[in-house]
Amino acid sequence: MQVPLNQTHPDKPALVEDARSYTYAELDDLINQVAKGLLAGKSDLEEERIAFLMPASLGYVAMLHGIWRAGGIAVPLNTASAPPELEHCLTSTGVTRLVAGDDHLDVIRPLCDQNAVTLLSLAACLSEEDRLLPTFSEDRRALIVFTSGTTSKPKGVVTTHKAVAAQITALVDAWEWQSSDVIPLFLPLHHVHGIINVLSCALWSGATVHLMPKLDVPQLCTNVAAGTFNVFMAVPTIYVKLIDYLTALNPEEAKAITHGFGEMRLNVSGSAACPVEVFESWQALTKQVLLERYGMTEIGMALSNPYRGERRAGCVGLPMPGVTVQLFDDQDQPITEHPAPGEIRIKGNTVFLEYWNNPEATASSFKDGWFCTGDVAVLEDGYYRIMGRSSIDIIKSGGYKLSALEIEGKLLAHPGIAEVAVLGIEDRTWGEAVAAAVVLRPAQQLTLAALKAWCDGRLSAYKIPKRLVVMDSLPRNAMGKVMKPKLKESL
Ligand code: MLC
Ligand code: AMP
């Protein structure tokens, strides 16, 4: 069992990159070359972890599927990560080979040398030799995606071929993906939103993906106005950025773009709560009723407003096909009387296998076979509504899940910082923005600009605090543990 590329439309464009398009047949051929090149004489990679560090590109897609076809585990890396973060990804999963895009080869070389990882270019992975590709069970591990959480270091979420396929087919069914669909892809490709919801659903369905290495709002809007796309998926922050961009344009210019969005068959929002105000502004501007859905790296998508039927602002709808959802109270009892808030727990073929090499974390994330999401919801008039998360150490900023503990750990290494508490504060654009409350060592001073400069190269840019509050002391609980201060009043 392998995650297949659509085989029924060989002459259709699968990918469009810059001005070039690549058909399914061309992509299929390149994937085979990668798979054979990676095998390098072996019959099966047998779950070897192969990392790749590439922007959204033909090469990225060929690597992902090439590793899958050769029986390896794909480890897509974040092109925006700082070196210590990349090192953690490589060493914690025992990556043996890393394939880097041309722009990343020199940056990653020292890390590969230090950690005995073989560094390759895409060109060095291609082989045209005549060889059979392996066949294997659908229970074979396919993908490791890193997720931040309530531990200081990100955990590698392992998904099997069966789960990847289940995550894709649930979405293809629920949102009626078709081979005539055309979608832009500007989301990062080290997370399930970009990898599964956009790229994999499209390539499963025979649709066309326009690859953009990063979000470029004016460029995107030019293509939208030209009627290039009929499906669009983004995080709420991107809808806020689009609303700001469109409302700043003169009405004539904006009209073609809002019309382009309005003509699409589907606009989806997810990865973070979509504020009702954003839902309503988008509808007023484009006449599109956003479809909001809820998901997580460990489970793919779990809840979705209906494709056909009422899409309710502020709600995440109903369970996806094949996904079982149950709310539990804090005594671990299933909630049967609604509405009452409870933790969302999930069962189904879409659920991940394990955290890589971390049986304790895997065991503690399941109760009686249910995966515990840590998200709290209510079931109101038949639709789920997310109320928040059980951990204050998790921050969702622009769709990225960030660990306050990880950021605190880094900031504590700053020579001027004695104590620190990191928290997410409400922000119109980012949903939550990272804020750091610090107590300085005697005779030290710190500005936000100086802190940002110090963090550069130590943390990914999107984890670096956007607010800094210097305090005389931080609140503590009865056990003497540092607590999160209430920052809103201080800013
Ligand atoms: C960029 N910045 C961020 C940020 N993204 N800060 C906080 N949070 C973020 N998410 C910082 C940059 O480092 C920069 O800082 C400044 O903001 C402006 O950067 P930019 O380059 O203009 O930002 P942009 O490229 O527009 O990026 C914004 C974004 C991006 C929204 C396009 O963050 C993004 O692609 N987010 C999506 C993440 C995602 O796919 N999550 C899904 C996870 S899976 P400075 O200091 O240099 O100015 C999941 C499951 C599910 O959640 O349900 O889907
Ligand atoms: P990640 O671990 O990066 O996959 O992020 C998953 C988390 O994003 C979930 O546990 C939720 O907290 C959050 N999330 C995803 N979609 C939504 C949504 N529509 N509304 C609120 N939170 C969401």
Side-chain angles (χ1 to χ4, degrees):
M1 160 82 190
Q2 294 165 13
V3 175
L5 188 70
N6 187 287
Q7 300 289 342
T8 52
H9 302 279
D11 298 327
K12 267 205 71 199
L15 302 174
V16 177
E17 188 184 350
D18 299 325
R20 261 220 71 178
S21 83
Y22 301 90
T23 64
Y24 275 88
E26 287 173 309
L27 179 58
D28 191 53
D29 182 51
L30 186 64
I31 292 167
N32 280 337
Q33 289 185 42
V34 171
K36 289 172 185 173
L38 289 175
L39 282 165
K42 289 190 194 150
S43 58
D44 186 333
L45 291 183
E46 290 174 346
E47 299 191 345
E48 177 184 345
R49 274 80 63 213
I50 301 188
F52 47 111
L53 184 65
M54 294 176 165
S57 57
L58 172 70
Y60 174 101
V61 182
M63 280 311 303
L64 178 69
H65 282 258
I67 295 166
W68 281 343
R69 274 192 198 171
I73 303 180
V75 187
L77 299 175
N78 179 1
T79 51
S81 281
E85 296 166 334
L86 289 170
E87 185 163 29
H88 169 70
C89 297
L90 298 180
T91 54
S92 65
T93 54
V95 162
T96 45
R97 287 186 272 175
L98 187 154
V99 183
D102 293 345
D103 291 346
H104 294 94
L105 274 167
D106 289 340
V107 180
I108 195 76
R109 184 166 283 115
L111 267 189
C112 289
D113 290 348
Q114 284 156 30
N115 293 290
V117 173
T118 306
L119 175 62
L120 298 164
S121 66
L122 177 64
C125 301
L126 302 180
S127 165
E128 302 222 34
E129 75 178 301
D130 194 15
R131 89 168 11 260
L132 280 179
L133 294 173
T135 52
F136 42 81
S137 137
E138 62 182 6
D139 295 322
R140 170 80 59 111
R141 292 168 179 82
L143 183 66
I144 297 181
V145 170
F146 286 86
T147 190
S148 293
T150 46
T151 48
S152 60
K153 295 254 169 139
K155 300 187 290 265
V157 175
V158 182
T159 317
T160 61
H161 285 263
K162 185 178 175 183
V164 169
Q167 292 181 5
I168 297 171
T169 50
L171 285 165
V172 168
D173 290 352
W175 299 345
E176 303 188 14
W177 272 92
Q178 299 148 18
S179 61
S180 53
D181 287 333
V182 183
I183 187 166
L185 174 50
F186 40 76
L187 292 169
L189 280 175
H190 60 285
H191 279 307
V192 294
H193 197 161
I195 301 172
I196 302 289
N197 297 25
V198 181
L199 183 65
S200 300
C201 285
L203 295 182
W204 181 286
S205 309
T208 302
V209 182
H210 285 238
L211 300 165
M212 297 174 73
K214 94 180 278 300
L215 178 68
D216 176 342
V217 170
Q219 175 63 48
L220 174 70
C221 287
T222 302
N223 287 330
V224 169
T228 307
F229 314 119
N230 71 334
V231 181
F232 186 82
M233 295 185 195
V235 299
T237 297
I238 294 177
Y239 286 103
V240 173
K241 286 180 177 241
L242 285 168
I243 290 166
D244 289 350
Y245 177 77
L246 289 168
T247 44
L249 287 179
N250 75 52
E252 265 318 297
E253 271 182 290
K255 202 165 150 196
I257 304 166
T258 52
H259 180 75
F261 279 109
E263 289 290 290
M264 293 188 198
R265 75 167 184 88
L266 181 62
N267 286 184
V268 179
S269 174
S271 300
C274 179
V276 172
E277 181 233 314
V278 173
F279 180 99
E280 288 173 349
S281 303
W282 192 250
Q283 188 172 4
L285 266 174
T286 66
K287 305 198 171 47
Q288 273 285 347
V289 182
L290 278 178
L291 183 154
E292 183 171 5
R293 62 30 173 211
Y294 158 89
M296 197 173 176
T297 305
E298 287 88 336
I299 55 173
M301 298 305 111
L303 294 161
S304 171
N305 274 279
Y307 179 63
R308 295 175 194 278
E310 184 200 358
R311 298 179 192 166
R312 212 179 284 167
C315 292
V316 289
L318 303 151
M320 299 283 298
V323 178
T324 309
V325 176
Q326 174 67 56
L327 300 181
F328 283 80
D329 66 20
D330 35 14
Q331 258 70 57
D332 287 331
Q333 296 306 307
I335 290 174
T336 49
E337 303 273 311
H338 301 286
E343 185 188 23
I344 305 176
R345 297 189 185 169
I346 306 285
K347 275 186 184 172
N349 288 339
T350 51
V351 175
F352 77 126
L353 179 68
E354 61 188 355
Y355 295 112
W356 181 265
N357 203 16
N358 197 340
E360 300 80 19
T362 307
S364 64
S365 67
F366 287 88
K367 279 188 185 158
D368 296 331
W370 293 94
F371 173 69
C372 306
T373 63
D375 291 306
V376 177
V378 280
L379 183 58
E380 267 174 1
D381 302 326
Y383 279 32
Y384 286 88
R385 186 162 63 82
I386 310 287
M387 302 188 69
R389 278 180 299 274
S390 48
S391 168
I392 49 163
D393 285 320
I394 292 174
I395 300 169
K396 258 274 161 163
S397 178
Y400 283 121
K401 187 174 183 183
L402 311 178
S403 162
L405 297 176
E406 182 190 358
I407 301 171
E408 284 167 1
K410 279 280 181 243
L411 298 189
L412 274 177
H414 186 288
I417 296 179
E419 286 182 358
V420 60
V422 165
L423 58 158
I425 53 166
E426 213 178 301
D427 184 276
R428 179 181 168 270
T429 303
W430 301 109
E432 288 180 299
V434 175
V438 301
V439 176
L440 296 178
R441 294 188 189 284
Q444 294 288 326
Q445 289 187 330
L446 189 61
T447 61
L448 180 61
L451 181 67
K452 283 184 170 180
W454 183 85
C455 288
D456 190 25
R458 293 180 163 93
L459 279 172
S460 303
Y462 55 83
K463 297 180 186 170
I464 297 176
K466 289 190 166 32
R467 311 270 195 284
L468 172 70
V469 180
V470 177
M471 303 181 90
D472 293 335
S473 63
L474 288 171
R476 292 178 182 275
N477 67 11
M479 316 289 287
K481 188 176 172 286
V482 167
M483 310 264 290
K484 313 268 182 198
K486 294 214 182 325
L487 272 195
K488 261 191 194 159
E489 298 88 283
S490 328
L491 296 169

